[in-house]
Amino acid sequence: MEPKSCDTFVVLPPLTNHGVVFGKNSDRPQNEVQEVVYFPASDTSPNTIQCTYIEVEAGGPKKAVILSKPGWMWGAEMGANECGVAIGNEAVWTKDNEGNHDTSIKRLLGMDLVRLGLERGSTALEALDVITGLLEKYGQGGPCQLDGDLSYHNSFLIADTSEAWILETSGKHWAAVQITSGYRNISNGLTITTKIDKHSDGLIEYAKEKGLWNGDGEFNFAEAFGSSGQVGDSRQKSGEDLLKTLSASKDFKETDMFTILRNTDTDICRSCDSPFPTQGSQVSTLSAFRPSVHWFTATPDPSKSVFKPFVFTPNAVISKHTKCPEDEKSGEHTLYTLHKDSMKDEGNEMQKLLFAMEADCVKELDAIVESVGEDLSELDELLKDCVETEVKFYR
């Protein structure tokens, strides 16, 4: 059975006042721990990079990145880089699953492509080109969970401070749409139809050759490649409705994205007893005029977790408490364990205090980033301080 998992969203001006707002819930197998890790920029790299299953050629200097990722995997479910690019991916299933497009074969995972796009792309378009270039060269596939053989094709939402791109794939073929205003969201089905701004070479000829399109009328990517009764269709529509409602004021903010990601009625937010619970969440406000702010839960179920902020600075440091033990593929990090234990408390007064802390943090940080100059040193340990405050609450 194809799991229902993950939702990614973006809202752009004129529906926001401070840039582009990106958000994602990462729904993963039960008991899989998601860590939040930071990697500084690097001017040097080896000739090859070992991803989850295969090696790829190095791409030169690497951008600083912050990632929310399964502890056992090289790649990331979502993340952001120092240039104001944020990326999230989704599992999708298509009709095209043979030969080079067989997703059971170990190649690049969609999560590997998220990380590679962030490490190498200075803009959303650059990251798109990185991902599609690697996809065409190496292909995609391999088990996407530690214990099991679940595999899939991928779609991506790639955003920066001025635009977003939706990228949807089937094997080595792909189509992409540019978003410059309004809102957009993706779940587990193909959404690109006849409006296609970029695509893989030979896409339409390939669809004809495989009997996916008969050549009549205008080519429709989702109709040609999408599986029948696409998983995620109802959730995608629910997410779109939430975006429409919450952006109507034309002042959509990070807290509105928190609200969407915490929506349990639509299954966008999934509890820990779900087969595929929401294991981590990210919200990013991407701005060209003030520091971009990236909010992570680093714990499951955002309706019972708090978002904590990170800002890229020259000397950024994050807490050890969101990193899984390196010698345990499925080991829990400190914050995950403490949060899990706290959820057993009836009423959970501690959770109410933490939500109040989150609200205060949003207000205080908004004032800081609005007025901060070039010296960002006061934000070096922002995420570290917030995580360690939460740890102290639990202890």
Side-chain angles (χ1 to χ4, degrees), residues 83-102:
C83 302
V85 178
I87 308 178
N89 79 306
E90 303 281 334
V92 293
W93 287 266
T94 78
K95 304 168 188 171
D96 182 31
N97 300 290
E98 298 177 354
N100 287 334
H101 293 193
D102 180 354

Side-chain angles (χ1 to χ4, degrees), residues 144-166:
C144 296
Q145 60 188 79
L146 187 57
D147 299 311
D149 56 3
L150 174 68
S151 63
Y152 43 75
H153 306 276
N154 290 268
S155 65
F156 304 83
L157 198 161
I158 309 167
D160 64 20
T161 61
S162 63
E163 66 176 5
W165 285 84
I166 304 297

Side-chain angles (χ1 to χ4, degrees), residues 31-37 69-73 146 319-337:
N31 302 316
E32 181 188 82
V33 181
Q34 196 150 145
E35 61 182 359
V36 171
V37 292
K69 58 183 285 295
W72 66 272
M73 185 186 294
L146 187 57
S319 173
K320 64 182 180 181
H321 296 314
T322 63
K323 182 172 175 56
C324 294
E326 291 187 8
D327 57 344
E328 298 179 42
K329 285 189 174 181
S330 58
E332 298 177 357
H333 56 71
T334 305
L335 184 63
Y336 182 97
T337 302

Side-chain angles (χ1 to χ4, degrees), residues 19 28 102 104 106 118 132 153 159 168-169 190 227 230 232 266 280 286 308 333 344 346 348 356 359 393:
R28 299 286 303 174
D102 180 354
S104 68
K106 290 181 178 179
L118 289 170
T132 55
H153 306 276
E168 297 180 350
T169 73
L190 301 181
S227 59
Q230 293 189 99
T266 58
L286 309 171
K308 297 161 283 287
H333 56 71
K344 300 171 185 175
E346 292 294 331
N348 208 331
F393 264 89

Side-chain angles (χ1 to χ4, degrees), residues 87-246:
I87 308 178
N89 79 306
E90 303 281 334
V92 293
W93 287 266
T94 78
K95 304 168 188 171
D96 182 31
N97 300 290
E98 298 177 354
N100 287 334
H101 293 193
D102 180 354
T103 62
S104 68
I105 305 300
K106 290 181 178 179
R107 301 185 179 101
L108 284 173
L109 294 181
M111 288 66 75
D112 295 336
L113 291 165
V114 169
R115 179 169 175 175
L116 290 162
L118 289 170
E119 289 182 342
R120 302 181 185 188
S122 299
T123 65
L125 181 57
E126 278 189 16
L128 171 76
D129 290 340
V130 167
I131 291 171
T132 55
L134 291 165
L135 180 73
E136 291 175 353
K137 183 171 184 177
Y138 297 100
Q140 60 181 319
C144 296
Q145 60 188 79
L146 187 57
D147 299 311
D149 56 3
L150 174 68
S151 63
Y152 43 75
H153 306 276
N154 290 268
S155 65
F156 304 83
L157 198 161
I158 309 167
D160 64 20
T161 61
S162 63
E163 66 176 5
W165 285 84
I166 304 297
L167 168 63
E168 297 180 350
T169 73
S170 180
K172 291 187 173 185
H173 279 292
W174 56 273
V177 171
Q178 182 185 31
I179 313 297
T180 57
S181 63
Y183 55 78
R184 187 72 178 256
N185 64 306
I186 55 175
S187 293
N188 299 118
L190 301 181
T191 64
I192 295 175
T193 56
T194 57
K195 181 186 183 301
I196 300 174
D197 294 313
K198 289 172 71 76
H199 61 79
S200 52
D201 291 341
L203 171 68
I204 294 174
E205 292 77 10
Y206 178 84
K208 287 180 180 178
E209 177 188 323
K210 289 291 184 178
L212 302 172
W213 183 53
N214 62 11
D216 292 341
E218 195 171 7
F219 177 73
N220 184 312
F221 182 78
E223 285 186 0
F225 285 90
S227 59
S228 59
Q230 293 189 99
V231 172
D233 281 357
S234 63
R235 218 171 58 254
Q236 195 270 339
K237 179 61 170 64
S238 296
E240 186 177 349
D241 291 343
L242 287 167
L243 286 170
K244 180 178 180 181
T245 299
L246 290 170

